[in-house]
Amino acid sequence: MRTHIKVVALVNLLYSALGMLAALGTLFGSIFGSMATLNPIVMIVGTVGGVIAASMIGLVSLFGLIAGFALLNHQNWARYVILVVSAFRLFKWPWGTAFGAYSIWVLTHDDTVREFSLHG
């Protein structure tokens, strides 16, 4: 299971880094896209909506980045954080669903639980 844990941590780091880029794209796209309409209501609603969406994407990705590094160092709390992040990723079809399900399987497996109880 050690190899599976490393795969979960590394893929989680990559997926979270891409999520941070997606958050930035959502933020700038919503701001500049809503301002291009020159409609004051659309500018406000589009910007606020984009900031909220980008914040949610960025927050989940930030937790994934931090927990991914911690999982590589066998921090037990990182297992729980990645389980929550993976539950959110189940809704991102198809890659988020596949990786979220794989992460949940690895991190809840009996061998993984034993592995982390030995280190912490």
Side-chain angles (χ1 to χ4, degrees):
M1 280 315 255
R2 288 181 183 190
T3 304
H4 288 291
I5 294 168
K6 286 181 184 178
V7 168
V8 167
L10 293 173
V11 174
N12 195 63
L13 287 170
L14 176 65
Y15 202 82
S16 295
L18 291 173
M20 295 297 278
L21 290 175
L24 284 174
T26 301
L27 180 65
F28 289 121
S30 65
I31 290 172
F32 293 123
S34 60
M35 288 189 176
T37 64
L38 301 177
N39 182 334
I41 295 172
V42 173
M43 284 182 193
I44 293 170
V45 173
T47 301
V48 170
V51 167
I52 291 170
S55 297
M56 291 176 67
I57 295 168
L59 194 60
V60 169
S61 297
L62 180 63
F63 285 143
L65 277 173
I66 293 168
F69 283 118
L71 192 65
L72 284 174
N73 294 318
H74 279 72
Q75 299 292 319
N76 196 31
W77 62 266
R79 241 178 20 97
Y80 299 111
V81 173
I82 290 182
L83 282 170
V84 172
V85 168
S86 296
F88 281 114
R89 288 188 176 147
L90 288 174
F91 297 104
K92 293 182 178 179
W93 179 260
W95 303 112
T97 303
F99 179 61
Y102 173 71
S103 297
I104 290 170
W105 173 75
V106 169
L107 296 176
T108 58
H109 197 276
D110 291 337
D111 293 341
T112 304
V113 173
R114 258 185 260 116
E115 175 78 26
F116 278 90
S117 66
L118 293 174
H119 286 94

